Amino acid sequence: MNFFRSADRPYFEGWYFKHQTPQRQTLALIPAFHIDGGGRPAASLQVISNDKSWWLEYPAEQLQVSRKPFQIQLGQSRFGTQGIDLHIQEKGLSLQGALRYGPFTALRSDIMGPFRFFAGMQCSHGVISMGHALGGTLELNEAPLDFYGGIGYIETDRGRSFPSKYLWTQCVWGGPERGSLMLAIATIPLPAGGFTGCICSVFYGGREYRLATYRGVKIEAWSPAAAVIRQGKYRLEAKLLCERRQALRAPVEGRMERTIHESLCAEVRYRFWRGKDLLFQHTDPNASFEYSPAG
């Protein structure tokens, strides 16, 4: 699919592929396309490791996207429901190899709920897989990464710009009490005012718990290092304990001009209550955490 032939307004769309090894090595990839206010298209790939990030630019014609089946071709690399196949050789970055994905854990419904129908939304979020098994190996600058027995996560964003102020955290873990969660809080501008919105999905014990503004969630607190939300008898707390931030680029009216900072491998403690019962407490060194103040 060619996104660029009829562009008449700023737009971006990107996909976030996160991969974790059992040895706590993590790699995320963000293929994306963007169209500025002048209708000029471009494509990009951001690569994030435990301790470094890279930004790669591509001509727009080197990007092809299929919705069904979901597949992205960017340069010589492919991303899709079956896995990824990478052939990247740039100055300062060599990334080669292939990973295969197990079945995706999909949400029951769109995480945006009725917000997906708001034409004026600055940015819309999507979750493609809350967790899936990994197999295969990659070589990052001649260092091997073994993802056999690992776990992955995929989400997407699209719109004109990232919110001016937002918090995002994500975590997926295996073992006997496996689980996954994604939480995002952001200021949402609208033509007539705006509001602070929240979307959250928690997978635990074989079921999904959905907490969101459109379901009556209350944001009790959010800051650069923590968030607390409550919906009825459910309460989720996320607390950042340690972070290693990497600089990334984010869209402003379709242009990738904003610098944000994400901790791909942050240590975050999550606690989730149902009434007075603590359903789980999980502290993970491979959690992702990002907070961007209004600027």
Side-chain angles (χ1 to χ4, degrees), residues 105-109 111 130 173 178-183 198-212 214-215 217 229 231 233-236 272-275 277-280:
T105 302
L107 298 182
R108 296 193 309 268
S109 60
I111 190 66
M130 289 290 286
W173 65 96
R178 61 181 299 176
S180 179
L181 65 85
M182 185 283 301
L183 165 67
C198 172
I199 50 175
C200 175
S201 179
V202 178
F203 264 88
Y204 185 74
R207 62 166 292 188
E208 179 197 357
Y209 300 87
R210 179 74 61 89
L211 295 84
Y214 55 82
R215 292 193 174 184
V217 77
I229 62 172
Q231 182 175 293
K233 59 186 176 181
Y234 296 105
R235 185 172 185 263
L236 175 68
F272 189 51
W273 288 269
R274 181 175 55 206
D277 297 328
L278 182 64
L279 292 183
F280 68 81

Side-chain angles (χ1 to χ4, degrees), residues 237-286:
E237 174 192 276
K239 183 174 179 59
L240 178 65
L241 304 178
C242 182
E243 64 177 342
R244 290 179 290 175
R245 301 198 304 164
Q246 306 294 337
L248 300 178
R249 297 196 191 188
V252 178
E253 294 299 314
R255 304 181 307 275
M256 301 297 283
E257 294 182 346
R258 179 178 175 186
T259 299
I260 59 174
H261 293 87
E262 176 186 323
S263 290
L264 177 67
C265 299
E267 184 176 0
V268 182
R269 184 188 68 203
Y270 303 95
R271 295 193 288 183
F272 189 51
W273 288 269
R274 181 175 55 206
K276 295 182 179 180
D277 297 328
L278 182 64
L279 292 183
F280 68 81
Q281 174 173 301
H282 178 73
T283 301
D284 201 304
N286 286 318

Side-chain angles (χ1 to χ4, degrees), residues 39 46-47 51 73 78 106 114 121 123 128-129 159 200 211-212 217 219 260 263 265-266 268 275-276 293:
Q46 298 191 70
V47 179
D51 53 13
Q73 175 87 36
R78 295 181 182 179
M121 289 288 287
C123 180
I128 296 172
S129 175
C200 175
L211 295 84
V217 77
I219 302 167
I260 59 174
S263 290
C265 299
V268 182
K276 295 182 179 180

Side-chain angles (χ1 to χ4, degrees), residues 5 9 19 35 50 86 89 103 112 181 196 209 226 239:
R5 59 178 177 266
R9 65 185 66 183
H19 312 86
I35 304 166
N50 288 40
L86 304 178
Q89 191 69 51
M112 294 296 291
L181 65 85
T196 299
Y209 300 87
K239 183 174 179 59

Side-chain angles (χ1 to χ4, degrees), residues 2-265:
N2 188 327
F3 292 93
F4 311 118
R5 59 178 177 266
S6 61
D8 59 356
R9 65 185 66 183
Y11 187 76
F12 80 92
E13 189 163 354
W15 299 265
Y16 182 89
F17 294 78
K18 183 178 177 181
H19 312 86
Q20 299 172 199
T21 76
Q23 294 76 33
R24 297 184 177 178
Q25 294 174 300
T26 306
L27 186 74
L29 302 119
I30 312 174
F33 71 91
H34 10 92
I35 304 166
D36 67 16
R40 291 176 289 270
S44 65
L45 176 66
Q46 298 191 70
V47 179
I48 318 158
S49 70
N50 288 40
D51 53 13
K52 194 171 182 179
S53 64
W54 295 264
W55 161 266
L56 307 176
E57 294 184 76
Y58 293 82
E61 58 269 18
Q62 290 193 23
L63 173 74
Q64 293 293 322
V65 178
S66 168
R67 302 293 189 186
K68 292 183 179 180
F70 171 55
Q71 184 164 299
I72 301 163
Q73 175 87 36
L74 181 58
Q76 296 182 336
S77 299
R78 295 181 182 179
F79 310 78
T81 55
Q82 302 301 310
I84 59 174
D85 191 358
L86 304 178
H87 302 276
I88 300 167
Q89 191 69 51
E90 301 286 344
K91 184 179 180 180
L93 175 63
S94 174
L95 182 55
Q96 311 287 335
L99 300 182
R100 295 295 166 255
Y101 295 161
F104 286 180
T105 302
L107 298 182
R108 296 193 309 268
S109 60
D110 193 311
I111 190 66
M112 294 296 291
F115 291 166
R116 67 187 185 276
F117 300 118
F118 288 12
M121 289 288 287
Q122 188 180 38
C123 180
S124 292
H125 193 75
V127 176
I128 296 172
S129 175
M130 289 290 286
H132 49 273
L134 301 177
T137 60
L138 299 175
E139 190 174 87
L140 175 61
N141 288 341
E142 301 184 353
L145 297 173
D146 185 351
F147 287 94
Y148 284 102
I151 194 166
Y153 170 86
I154 307 173
E155 65 176 36
T156 181
D157 286 288
R158 64 188 184 278
R160 304 188 313 276
S161 306
F162 267 19
S164 61
K165 179 182 179 182
Y166 67 89
L167 178 150
W168 169 84
T169 185
Q170 175 274 329
C171 185
V172 56
W173 65 96
E177 294 190 356
R178 61 181 299 176
S180 179
L181 65 85
M182 185 283 301
L183 165 67
I185 301 172
T187 56
I188 311 297
L190 293 175
F195 63 98
T196 299
C198 172
I199 50 175
C200 175
S201 179
V202 178
F203 264 88
Y204 185 74
R207 62 166 292 188
E208 179 197 357
Y209 300 87
R210 179 74 61 89
L211 295 84
T213 298
Y214 55 82
R215 292 193 174 184
V217 77
K218 304 298 182 184
I219 302 167
E220 295 189 344
W222 67 306
S223 71
V228 182
I229 62 172
R230 182 190 296 273
Q231 182 175 293
K233 59 186 176 181
Y234 296 105
R235 185 172 185 263
L236 175 68
E237 174 192 276
K239 183 174 179 59
L240 178 65
L241 304 178
C242 182
E243 64 177 342
R244 290 179 290 175
R245 301 198 304 164
Q246 306 294 337
L248 300 178
R249 297 196 191 188
V252 178
E253 294 299 314
R255 304 181 307 275
M256 301 297 283
E257 294 182 346
R258 179 178 175 186
T259 299
I260 59 174
H261 293 87
E262 176 186 323
S263 290
L264 177 67
C265 299

